[in-house]
Amino acid sequence: MTFGSTRALRIAALAVSASLIVSEANAVAIEKDTLKLGFIKLTDCASLVIARERGFFEKEGLYVTLEAQANWKILQDRVVSGELDGAHMLAGQPIAASIGVGTRAALITALSLDLNGNAITLSKELWTAMKARNPELAVPNPLHPISASLFKPLVDEARDSGSALKMGMVFPVSTHNYELRYWLAAGGIHPGFYTASDSTGVTDADVQISVTPPPQMPATLAQGTIQGYSVGEPWNQQAVLRDIGVPVITDGEIWELNPEKVFGVTADWAKANPETHLALLRALILAGKWLDASLENRREAVTILSKPEYVGADPEVIANSMTGTFEYERGDKRELPDFNVFFRHHATYPFYSDAVWYLTQMRRWGQISEGHPDAWYEEAAKQVYRPELWKQAATTLVDRGDLQSGDLPEGDGYKPPSSAFIDHVEYDGRKPNDYLKRLAIGRKD
Amino acid sequence: MKTASGQSILKLERVSKGFGATDARREVLHDVDLAVTEGELVAIVGFSGSGKSTLVNLLAGLEMPDRGSVTFHGKRVRGPGPERAVVFQTYALLPWLTVRGNVALAVRATASGRSAAERDAAVERCIALVGLTAAADRRPRELSGGMRQRVALARALAMNPRVLLMDEPLGALDALTRAKLQDEIVEIWQREKQTIVMVTNDVDEAILLADRIIPLNPGPRATLGPAFTVSLERPRDRTALNHDPAFRSIRNAVTEYLLDVGRASVPRCEQEEAFDPLPDLEPLPVGGAA
Amino acid sequence: MKSGAMRLLDTAGMPAMAFAIFLGAWSLVASSIETSIGRLPGPTAVAQEARNLLGAHTEERRKAAEYAQRMKVQAAEAKTAGKPFVVRKYSGPPTYLDQIATSLKTVFAGFVIASLIAVPLGVLCGMSPRAYAALNPLIQLFKPVSPLAWLPIVMILVSALYNSPDSMFEKSFVSSAITVALCSLWPTLVNTALGVSSIDRDYLNVARVLRLGWWDRIFRIVLPASLPLVFTGLRLSLGVGWMVLIAAEMLAQNPGLGKFVWDMFQNGSSQTLAQILVAVFTIGTIGFALDRVMLAFQRAVSFDA
C-alpha cells in the first residue's frame, strides 16, 4: 500500500465516523417534542416567533405552540407551574426568582434573546417644558444622548410643590426599571429605594416609579397619570405615531449593548429535558441570526410580528424600530441599526457579567436587602446563567456548519470592564461592590 | 242498608289543642271527645274558623294534642299514616304528576310488597272508581275542580285506608258538581265499606250523607256538641228528602242548635269594645271662624 | 283589541327601531372620538372586523387542513421506508370561533360544578332551619366576593394540587371553571333554599300521610315542588357565570373570549377597538342566548299549581 492510499483510507475512515457522529447527534432522542412557550407582546419576542414561523423549531424536531400571556407575573407563574415549558422573560426575572426577590423559584437561562430594544418616553407637556428650559433641545435634531439632568429642575419643582413626577415601568425586576433608574440617577435624580416596609420603591424618591402594564401606558401618559415610562417596543413608537409622547432616550444610549430579554425555563425542566433544551437553544440562536442577517429579513419579521396572534401592532409602528431606524420627537427619525440586536455582538450568549449587573442594581435600589461579598454575586449569577449549555448548542451548530466558530465568544463568561454608560462609570463584573461604591446615588454596600 | 260493626276505632279523649307562644296562646279546641265507629260515616258541621281543620289534623296525626289522647284501634296515634288517609280541603295534588302519577305515588308508598303488575292494577282500579280513566294522563291544571277532588279521593282510597278523613272536600265546588260528588262518596263508602269522618259547613250535605252529625261549637276553646243520629233510610234521594218530615226535623234541630250556640258565643270585640270610639265632630259655623 | 299590525309593531317593530336609533347614535358619536389607539370604530367598522375574524378563522382552518395533508404524506412515506413516525397536532393559534367554543365549554363546566354544590346545599338549607342558620353567615360572607379576588387563590391552589403530567384539562381551564363556580353558585343556592322552604305545606303533609322515606320525600316531593325556583336560580347562576368567565379568562389565560379581549388590547393596533367591540357584541349575544335557553327550561318545569 502506498502512502497516498493509506492517507486516503484514513480520511475516508474519518469521514465515515464523522458522518456517523453527525447522524447520531440528530438521532439523539428529544424528551418532549410538543411544547408550549409563552411570550409577552413586545417586539423582542421576535426570535421565538421567527423560530416558529421560519421553521427553525420544526427543523430541530420541535412542535412549538406560542401563547401570549397577560403579564410578566402570570407568565412566570405558568412557567413555574409547568403549564408553559419555557418563556420569553425579562433578564432580571430568573435572577430575582433565584435569590428570592419576589416569588422564589428556580429559574435558569441559557440564552439571551436580544440586546437593547427599550426606550424612555416622556409626555408632550414634560418635553415642551424641557425644551423651554434647555434651548439646545428645541432644535429639530437635538444632540443625543439626552441626560436626565436636563429635566432635574422640573423634577425638583414638582417634588417641592407636593406632586412629584410619576413614571411607569413594566415589572419590579424588569430591565426597564433598572434602566430608568440608572438614567435618572445619572442625571442626579433620586428614583427611590425599596425598603422592608416599602415594596413599591418610592422611599426618598424625587420621581415616583410604579408598575404599569404596557398596553395601558400610552393611555395613562395621555391622561397625565404618569409623565413618562420606560418600556419596550411597540409602545414608544406607538406614542410617537399617535402624538401622545416623545421618546427621549433609548436604552442603548444608557448602556451600550445592554442585555434585555432571555429565554427562561425552570431548573427542573432543564434537568428533565436536556436534549429538548439544547434543541430549543439551537433553533433560537439560528432565529436570532436570521433576524440580524439582512434588512429584508427584518422587513419580513415586521409582517410576521404584526399578526394579531403575535405582537399585533400596526406594521408601521413595528417597522419604525425594527428596520434600523428609531423615531424620537415626531419627525426626528434617526438611523439606529442597533436599536435591537438579536445575534450580532454575541447577543445570544448569557454573560455572567450581565447577571451580576442586574444583581448590583437590585442591591443599589434596595430590592436585595443586605450587602454581600463579591463571591456571592458570582455564585448567584452562576446558578442562574448557564453559558455552558449555550456553548454546547452553539458547538453543535458550528459542526453542522450553521454557525462560524467566530460566533462563539472567548473568555470565561465575563465581559471585560466597560464604561459604555451614559455617565461613563466603569463596570467590572468581577468587582460588583467596587462598582456600587462608584455610583453616586443608591446604596453603596 | 249497611250496618256498622259497632267497634270504635278512632277516638279523641279530652283533647285540647292551642297555638302560639305561651303568653299569647290561643286555645282552638278544648276538652274534645269523639268516638268514631268502624264503618260509619260521621259528619262534623260547624262555623268557619272554629277549628275544623285542626280537628282533622289531630285525627290524622298531623298534629299532636296538648292534652288528652288520640287513639286508633286503642293505640295512641304518634304520627300520620296511610291507614288514616286524608282528603285535603285544597286537594293537595302534586301538580307535576298526572292523575295516574298522583295515585301511583300513594299505591307505591303503601303496597311496596306487591309486584309491579299488581300495583298498576290497583292504580287503574282507584282511578276507575272515581270515573277518571279517560283523564288519567292529564295534569291537575288541566282538570276542573270536581275532577281534582275526585283525584284526591282516588289517591286517598289508593292508600287502602281504614279511615278516610275529609276536610271540607266539596266546599269549593259548584252546586251541581257537589251533588254529583256527594252521591259518589256515598257509593264508594258503601262499596269499599270505609269509615269516613267528613268535616263540612253544609248541614244539608251532612244529613244527606252521614250516619251521625256532630256539631263543632264556635271557638275559641271549641268543643264538640251532642251527636245527632240520622236514621233516614238509604239510598237518600235529594229531591224526595225535601218533603220528608224526618229530614226536616233533623235539619231544624241541627240548625237551631248551631244558631243557639252561635248566638251564645258573643264576639269579643263587642265584649271588650276593642276599637276606639270615633271622636265627636262639631260643625264649623257658616261664614267665619269661631 | 289590538290588530295584528299593532302587535307586530310591539314585538318586533319597536325593538328594531330602538336598535336602529342606537346604531345611528353610535355611528355619530364614534366619528368624533379619537383615542390613544385611533378613532372609536362605528358599526360598519365593527361589522368589517367581525368579517375579518371569520375570514381569519377560515384561513387558519385551511392551513390546518394543509398541515394535516402534509402529515399524512409524511406518515405514508415513513411507513414505506419502515421508519416510525408520529403525527403531530397542528400548533397554530386558536381562531375566534375556537375561543368562543372554549369559553362556552368553560362556563358549562363551571356551571355544572356550581349546580352540584349549590342544589344539595340549597335543599339542606331549605329543609333544615338549623342548617340554614349555620350556613347563612358563610353564604352572606362569600356571596359578594368578586372573581378577580378569587382567581389568584384558585390559580395557586390549582397549581399546587392539580398536578398529574397528562391531565385531561389544562390548569387554566380548571382555574377558570372553578372561579366561575365559586361566583355563580350563590343564586342557585339561595333560590333552591327558598324554593324548598316555601313549598306548599300540604305537599309535605301528603308525604307524611304516606309515610315516605327521606329519599322519596326529597326526590319525589321536595325537589319537584321546588323545581321552578331551582331553575330560576340556575338561570341567574348561568348569567352570572358567563359574566365572571370573561374576567377570569383574562387572568387565568384560558384561551377563550376573555383572553381574546386582553390579547387584542395588548396589541394596541388600529383594529384593537373594533375587535374588542366585536367581542362585546359576541359576549352579549351568547349571554342572551344562554338566558333564553334557560328560560325555556324554566318554563318547561313550571306548573300552575
Side-chain angles (χ1 to χ4, degrees):
Chain A
M1 208 178 302
T2 64
F3 178 72
S5 57
T6 325
R7 196 155 166 271
L9 266 176
R10 237 185 291 146
I11 293 174
L14 268 172
V16 168
S17 53
S19 69
L20 273 176
I21 293 171
V22 169
S23 61
E24 252 174 59
N26 279 344
V28 169
I30 298 210
E31 302 86 1
K32 186 178 183 194
D33 56 5
T34 309
L35 303 165
K36 196 192 283 195
L37 302 179
F39 69 95
I40 296 288
K41 286 174 181 271
L42 296 166
T43 55
D44 48 24
C45 67
S47 299
L48 286 159
V49 174
I50 293 301
R52 183 177 183 278
E53 293 287 318
R54 298 282 311 181
F56 292 110
F57 281 138
E58 220 175 292
K59 224 169 91 176
E60 295 287 336
L62 299 171
Y63 296 87
V64 173
T65 311
L66 294 175
E67 191 180 75
Q69 303 301 301
N71 56 54
W72 289 112
K73 169 99 179 84
I74 287 187
L75 178 144
Q76 189 175 320
D77 287 344
R78 294 185 88 211
V79 171
V80 170
S81 78
E83 291 166 77
L84 298 170
D85 293 290
H88 167 225
M89 285 191 192
L90 298 158
Q93 273 183 294
I95 302 169
S98 288
I99 60 174
V101 173
T103 319
R104 188 180 281 270
L107 294 171
I108 63 158
T109 174
L111 181 101
S112 163
L113 286 172
D114 68 328
L115 302 177
N116 300 341
N118 295 339
I120 297 177
T121 297
L122 298 180
S123 67
K124 282 197 327 198
E125 293 73 36
L126 192 51
W127 177 245
T128 311
M130 273 171 80
K131 283 200 290 189
R133 305 281 179 114
N134 303 285
E136 68 268 30
L137 293 178
V139 298
N141 285 32
L143 198 61
H144 279 183
I146 296 175
S147 165
S149 58
L150 290 180
F151 82 116
K152 182 164 167 39
L154 291 164
V155 167
D156 291 337
E157 274 168 29
R159 184 203 58 214
D160 292 336
S161 75
S163 54
L165 292 184
K166 294 185 179 43
M167 300 212 169
M169 46 81 189
V170 308
F171 197 60
V173 297
S174 62
T175 51
H176 317 77
N177 188 18
Y178 304 124
E179 284 152 12
L180 178 60
R181 285 165 176 263
Y182 197 97
W183 179 65
L184 290 171
I189 303 174
H190 196 304
F193 280 131
Y194 292 88
T195 67
S197 53
D198 175 10
S199 60
T200 51
V202 294
T203 307
D204 296 342
D206 292 332
V207 170
Q208 293 184 342
I209 302 177
S210 59
V211 176
T212 310
Q216 284 162 253
M217 280 176 168
T220 41
L221 192 71
Q223 272 169 14
T225 318
I226 53 177
Q227 285 76 44
Y229 55 71
S230 164
V231 74
E233 284 301 303
W235 302 107
N236 299 291
Q237 299 296 265
Q238 186 90 276
V240 176
L241 269 96
R242 304 271 178 209
D243 204 25
I244 302 171
V246 179
V248 297
I249 188 167
T250 64
D251 63 343
E253 295 165 81
I254 301 176
W255 177 17
E256 230 175 84
L257 298 177
N258 61 80
E260 177 49 35
K261 301 288 193 310
V262 297
F263 177 68
V265 295
T266 62
D268 288 338
W269 187 93
K271 201 146 61 139
N273 304 281
E275 291 305 321
T276 315
H277 195 196
L278 289 172
L280 279 169
L281 297 176
R282 291 195 293 266
L284 289 169
I285 293 173
L286 291 178
K289 182 171 177 209
W290 184 91
L291 277 164
D292 276 356
S294 70
L295 191 57
E296 214 176 281
N297 284 4
R298 286 292 187 107
R299 291 214 180 95
E300 194 182 325
V302 168
T303 316
I304 297 175
L305 287 173
S306 65
K307 285 203 229 168
E309 65 262 27
Y310 296 127
V311 178
D314 294 337
E316 316 79 73
V317 176
I318 300 180
N320 238 26
S321 64
M322 280 285 285
T323 51
T325 61
F326 189 80
E327 190 164 356
Y328 292 90
E329 190 176 9
R330 196 87 177 265
D332 179 6
K333 195 164 174 180
R334 307 196 185 186
E335 294 277 319
L336 207 57
D338 284 348
F339 175 74
N340 44 22
V341 181
F342 295 95
F343 181 75
R344 289 176 296 113
H345 307 293
H346 301 305
T348 56
Y349 185 89
F351 286 95
Y352 293 130
S353 44
D354 293 343
V356 172
W357 190 84
Y358 283 110
L359 285 165
T360 60
Q361 300 305 296
M362 287 181 207
R363 176 61 196 137
R364 185 180 180 190
W365 305 117
Q367 285 174 324
I368 296 177
S369 44
E370 9 169 73
H372 293 279
D374 288 349
W376 181 90
Y377 286 87
E378 185 175 343
E379 211 183 293
K382 290 202 167 146
Q383 211 183 327
V384 181
Y385 274 46
R386 303 295 177 86
E388 70 279 6
L389 293 174
W390 185 94
K391 247 207 177 101
Q392 241 185 300
T395 312
T396 314
L397 288 175
V398 169
D399 292 339
R400 276 197 220 156
D402 290 327
L403 277 189
Q404 322 274 44
S405 52
D407 291 326
L408 278 72
E410 319 222 322
D412 56 355
Y414 280 87
K415 284 186 186 151
S418 150
S419 322
F421 291 85
I422 192 174
D423 56 0
H424 308 295
V425 173
E426 188 186 75
Y427 167 60
D428 181 354
R430 294 175 214 277
K431 307 210 186 85
N433 282 296
D434 278 350
Y435 180 56
L436 282 171
K437 291 193 179 58
R438 266 180 271 134
L439 292 165
I441 301 184
R443 304 195 64 101
K444 306 269 192 303
D445 50 0
Chain B
M1 167 125 169
K2 191 181 180 315
T3 48
S5 72
Q7 287 272 44
S8 162
I9 63 169
L10 187 57
K11 280 218 285 233
L12 292 177
E13 286 169 307
R14 302 180 58 93
V15 164
S16 298
K17 176 74 184 169
F19 296 98
T22 13
D23 49 346
R25 198 155 182 86
R26 201 172 38 95
E27 205 170 26
V28 177
L29 297 172
H30 180 75
D31 250 359
V32 167
D33 286 302
L34 176 65
V36 179
T37 319
E38 187 164 14
E40 73 168 329
L41 202 165
V42 177
I44 300 185
V45 293
F47 296 84
S48 302
S50 47
K52 299 201 288 282
S53 290
T54 312
L55 195 63
V56 173
N57 286 344
L58 285 166
L59 287 168
L62 288 166
E63 292 192 39
M64 292 293 117
D66 293 337
R67 281 189 301 282
S69 68
V70 182
T71 50
F72 180 64
H73 278 302
K75 289 210 289 273
R76 218 190 177 92
V77 168
R78 297 202 182 281
E83 64 278 0
R84 278 160 286 121
V86 183
V87 178
F88 295 91
Q89 190 171 6
T90 56
Y91 317 141
L93 296 180
L94 303 178
W96 57 89
L97 294 177
T98 59
V99 169
R100 186 171 283 121
N102 271 284
V103 179
L105 182 71
V107 171
R108 210 189 348 251
T110 54
S112 45
R114 300 212 242 135
S115 75
E118 283 177 349
R119 288 208 293 272
D120 289 342
V123 170
E124 296 308 314
R125 195 175 65 84
C126 288
I127 297 176
L129 212 57
V130 298
L132 282 179
T133 314
D137 289 311
R138 291 210 222 153
R139 294 220 145 76
R141 64 170 174 267
E142 299 161 17
L143 302 173
S144 70
M147 292 162 88
R148 289 183 201 173
Q149 190 51 283
R150 288 199 211 137
V151 179
L153 192 56
R155 179 177 65 190
L157 290 170
M159 298 182 210
N160 265 325
R162 305 293 296 273
V163 181
L164 256 184
L165 302 167
M166 302 171 99
D167 186 358
E168 291 199 66
L170 308 180
L173 301 172
D174 63 277
L176 288 173
T177 321
R178 200 167 181 160
K180 210 156 165 293
L181 281 176
Q182 284 164 354
D183 294 337
E184 283 181 24
I185 289 175
V186 173
E187 198 203 339
I188 291 169
W189 168 65
Q190 286 178 324
R191 186 145 31 110
E192 303 293 310
K193 301 186 185 7
Q194 284 287 351
T195 311
I196 298 185
V197 178
M198 184 163 116
V199 167
T200 177
N201 58 16
D202 185 337
V203 176
D204 288 342
E205 182 175 272
I207 302 177
L208 195 62
L209 302 184
D211 293 327
R212 275 194 306 153
I213 301 177
I214 306 179
L216 180 63
N217 299 328
R221 298 166 66 96
T223 53
L224 285 177
F228 291 80
T229 315
V230 182
S231 41
L232 299 168
E233 289 255 338
R234 293 189 196 270
R236 299 175 189 170
D237 181 78
R238 208 172 274 103
T239 30
L241 273 183
N242 270 322
H243 308 292
D244 188 341
F247 169 77
R248 270 185 273 157
S249 84
I250 300 177
R251 190 166 181 259
N252 289 339
V254 175
T255 316
E256 244 187 71
Y257 176 84
L258 286 173
L259 287 174
D260 284 342
V261 168
R263 257 190 297 262
S265 144
V266 179
R268 234 212 242 138
C269 66
E270 282 181 24
Q271 269 184 333
E272 295 171 6
E273 287 185 307
F275 49 82
D276 295 320
L278 294 171
D280 286 330
L281 291 175
E282 271 209 27
L284 286 173
V286 175
Chain C
M1 185 59 202
K2 276 201 184 145
S3 71
M6 284 298 290
R7 260 178 291 154
L8 193 61
L9 186 67
D10 277 344
T11 49
M14 294 304 287
M17 248 198 298
F19 199 65
I21 294 176
F22 164 70
L23 286 179
W26 174 16
S27 219
L28 222 65
V29 167
S31 55
S32 58
I33 298 185
E34 279 279 352
T35 71
S36 61
I37 45 175
R39 183 164 295 179
L40 190 71
T44 33
V46 172
Q48 180 57 40
E49 194 53 44
R51 277 193 287 273
N52 290 350
L53 286 168
L54 286 174
H57 165 81
T58 332
E59 176 63 23
E60 197 66 28
R61 286 286 188 263
R62 189 188 58 78
K63 282 205 268 191
E66 266 179 12
Y67 175 83
Q69 192 57 30
R70 253 192 298 140
M71 283 290 115
K72 241 197 263 181
V73 167
Q74 287 182 16
E77 282 176 0
K79 197 145 171 251
T80 49
K83 281 200 292 205
F85 185 81
V86 185
V87 174
R88 301 290 157 198
K89 247 178 20 143
Y90 180 64
S91 60
T95 68
Y96 190 60
L97 297 184
D98 290 332
Q99 287 165 322
I100 294 179
T102 304
S103 283
L104 285 172
K105 276 186 249 177
T106 316
V107 81
F108 278 124
F111 176 67
V112 166
I113 297 174
S115 307
L116 288 175
I117 299 174
V119 171
L121 270 184
V123 169
L124 178 67
C125 285
M127 292 189 68
S128 159
R130 213 169 279 170
Y132 183 67
L135 289 175
N136 193 37
L138 288 171
I139 295 174
Q140 299 305 327
L141 185 65
F142 289 122
K143 189 154 68 93
V145 177
S146 151
L148 300 177
W150 282 123
L151 197 51
I153 302 174
V154 170
M155 276 164 56
I156 290 176
L157 285 175
V158 168
S159 287
L161 301 172
Y162 186 72
N163 255 327
S164 64
D166 34 48
S167 11
M168 204 177 7
F169 300 109
E170 291 272 346
K171 281 188 189 172
S172 54
F173 177 83
V174 174
S175 299
S176 305
I178 292 181
T179 306
V180 165
L182 281 173
C183 297
S184 69
L185 69 88
W186 311 105
T188 299
L189 200 157
V190 167
N191 275 286
T192 303
L194 185 65
V196 166
S197 62
S198 61
I199 32 178
D200 205 328
R201 286 242 71 187
D202 277 345
Y203 301 155
L204 292 174
N205 283 340
V206 169
R208 290 173 70 195
V209 171
L210 286 175
R211 291 225 192 95
L212 293 179
W214 71 265
W215 176 273
D216 275 341
R217 192 178 304 203
I218 292 182
F219 285 92
R220 289 198 193 281
I221 308 273
V222 170
L223 274 181
S226 40
L227 222 48
L229 270 174
V230 171
F231 267 81
T232 304
L234 289 174
R235 179 170 154 233
L236 291 171
S237 282
L238 188 58
V240 169
W242 182 243
M243 260 207 305
V244 164
L245 174 74
I246 303 301
E249 276 181 348
M250 277 194 200
L251 289 184
Q253 301 295 283
N254 193 38
L257 285 172
K259 184 164 198 298
F260 172 80
V261 169
W262 192 251
D263 282 351
M264 293 306 108
F265 175 52
Q266 285 201 80
N267 282 350
S269 73
S270 17
Q271 288 87 43
T272 288
L273 284 173
Q275 287 164 331
I276 296 183
L277 282 170
V278 172
V280 164
F281 281 108
T282 310
I283 293 168
T285 309
I286 294 180
F288 178 56
L290 288 174
D291 188 68
R292 291 285 115 170
V293 165
M294 287 306 287
L295 192 60
F297 275 119
Q298 192 184 319
R299 290 225 179 97
V301 301
S302 286
F303 40 80
D304 296 307

